Amino acid sequence: MQLSALIGADVRLPRSGGDAEIRGLTADSRAVEPGFLFAALPGTQVDGVRFIPQALEKGAAALLVGGGVELPAGISVPVISDRNPRRRLAQMAARFFEVQPGVVAAVTGTNGKTSVASFVRQIWEALSEPAASLGTLGITGPKGERALGYTTPDPVALHRELAELAEEGVTHLAMEASSHGLAQYRLDGVKVSAAGFTNITRDHLDYHASFDDYFYAKLRLFGEVMGPGGVAVLNADAAQFAEFEAVSWARGHKVITVGRKGRGICLAALRPGLRGQALEIIHEGRNYDVNLPLIGAFQASNVLVAAGLAIGCGAPAGGVFEALGRLQGARGRMEEVAHLPNGASVYVDYAHTPDALENVLTAMRPHTAGRLVVVFGCGGDRDPGKRPLMGEVAARLADIIYVTDDNPRGEDAAAIRQAVLKGCPSASEIGDRGDAIATAMKALGKGDLLVVAGKGHETGQIVGDKTIPFSDHQAVQDAVREIAGGVA
């Protein structure tokens, strides 16, 4: 593609260097090949401008830099200067790869993104639409599953994946929109048809300067990324709902509010069962009874956001609500992984924030005939302020608590546990996560319910600079075999 076509009509082609033929894009100087455009982006630790000489040596045909950047002398290739080079790179990537699924639903929020994306894909599949989902669990589509590495990949990788999905015949895509991805403009250029909002609470303050910064990143999906006249599906029961609604109206979006306070899709009644729940839903004056095979009131909330996104993208309401009765939970999200002979159940959930842990434990209580037990820890090199808060949540809502390790990363694991224990001093402390899970399971009695929280779908534990193979699912199954005397 010619550089003149790649940069967009609002940017003039630089006088120096001519109209180069661009064979690829990258922000990683190590990935530059002859004919590539190299985006020298500012980073949190190093500035991409430092790597311009290496990129040129490898054959870069053009450069993208931030406004006012001082460049090395003697550059003969075209240089595009932009006040927001990250956003410009994303827009370039969209033009370079050209195609993407015709219908894209994106969902943001602190909790529930993975579940909502999975639910939307399942609804579309039930309606015979060629669909896929993209996010924390990777890509799931007609050709199976494949890993991504990030909830929201960098814009070049993201648009490459979108083009591949479109070429595979996928017409409908549900994707997660993380705060990192939104703040770094990775989703700009994605033609979002409908955007969903689940909830917002404290998270990722190790990256975002403040809650307001985190909040603004989420709002970008509705106020900047999705073009005017899209569909905004908003959880009316969530904090900050009014701000998301105001931005959506100002942008000219059609707004569908969902939840107990929802005007578009209203949850009129919820009756929890042992391993599911009955929902009464009102939409456009009509009542729908849904037997949802998932537990937890917040899962019901996620399901309504998913239904709103599917309807907002043109799916028939009757078919959408019928499909809800066949939904399966996303891996590691309120997932039942064992049911013991004495009637005790074990669930794995990704809850790793105070609000998420509170939601999970509150949701589990109506389904618990005996004691509610929780095993959890906190990650290292992440927001330390949430550690005692999570301990306080566990102390308030669980009957028995085991504090263990999550992903200690570069911090001292024992110090992290001590910070958590300040909020739940009567909890049992077992550093080894596998031992903590096994100990908790061996103590389960009739009707007890155990939640193993924090890691969800993850298959490794980060200790120092190494990732050690570890899965909560596998640890639960190992404990099941041990309890059964070696019989799975």
Side-chain angles (χ1 to χ4, degrees), residues 31-225:
V32 171
E33 296 180 16
F36 272 40
L37 178 143
F38 172 59
L41 304 178
T44 55
Q45 297 180 339
V46 294
D47 194 328
V49 172
R50 288 177 48 190
F51 301 99
I52 287 178
Q54 292 94 314
L56 293 173
E57 286 177 8
K58 298 184 74 171
L63 302 174
L64 171 65
V65 300
V69 168
E70 293 187 12
L71 297 173
I75 293 177
S76 59
V77 302
V79 178
I80 308 301
S81 178
D82 196 283
R83 288 181 296 177
N84 190 339
R86 291 185 181 277
R87 187 166 187 265
R88 180 66 60 182
L89 176 61
Q91 294 169 336
M92 287 181 173
R95 295 189 189 97
F96 185 82
F97 290 102
E98 296 185 307
V99 296
Q100 52 188 270
V103 176
V104 178
V107 58
T108 196
T110 304
N111 304 307
K113 297 186 296 296
T114 301
S115 292
V116 171
S118 174
F119 295 156
V120 174
R121 171 182 52 77
Q122 292 179 59
I123 292 169
W124 280 332
E125 289 173 341
L127 297 173
S128 300
E129 299 287 3
S133 56
L134 182 155
T136 306
L137 300 182
I139 293 177
T140 301
K143 289 195 173 183
E145 301 178 0
R146 59 181 184 267
L148 281 174
Y150 295 92
T151 298
T152 308
D154 75 78
V156 177
L158 174 60
H159 283 283
R160 182 185 298 112
E161 294 287 357
L162 296 186
E164 288 181 5
L165 287 170
E167 290 165 2
E168 291 170 6
V170 170
T171 60
H172 290 62
L173 173 68
M175 64 181 297
E176 299 179 50
S178 68
S179 63
H180 290 70
L182 289 164
Q184 295 175 12
Y185 301 91
R186 299 181 206 165
L187 283 91
D188 289 68
V190 178
K191 297 176 183 177
V192 177
S193 311
F197 163 64
T198 58
N199 51 67
I200 189 163
T201 57
R202 176 188 182 120
D203 198 14
H204 296 306
L205 296 191
D206 53 294
Y207 173 80
H208 297 283
S210 65
F211 179 81
D212 286 343
D213 183 60
Y214 173 62
F215 179 47
Y216 170 72
K218 298 292 189 184
L219 278 174
R220 279 204 71 240
L221 178 60
F222 300 86
E224 298 177 23
V225 175

Side-chain angles (χ1 to χ4, degrees), residues 397-447:
L397 298 175
D399 300 311
I400 302 174
I401 306 165
Y402 296 87
V403 173
T404 188
D405 292 343
D406 192 290
N407 293 315
R409 297 185 178 87
E411 289 192 63
D412 178 66
I416 296 174
R417 296 196 300 271
Q418 287 304 308
V420 176
L421 286 164
K422 288 181 180 179
C424 52
S426 62
S428 298
E429 179 186 2
I430 304 176
D432 185 280
R433 193 173 180 91
D435 288 346
I437 292 171
T439 299
M441 288 181 62
K442 291 174 185 176
L444 292 175
K446 182 179 180 181

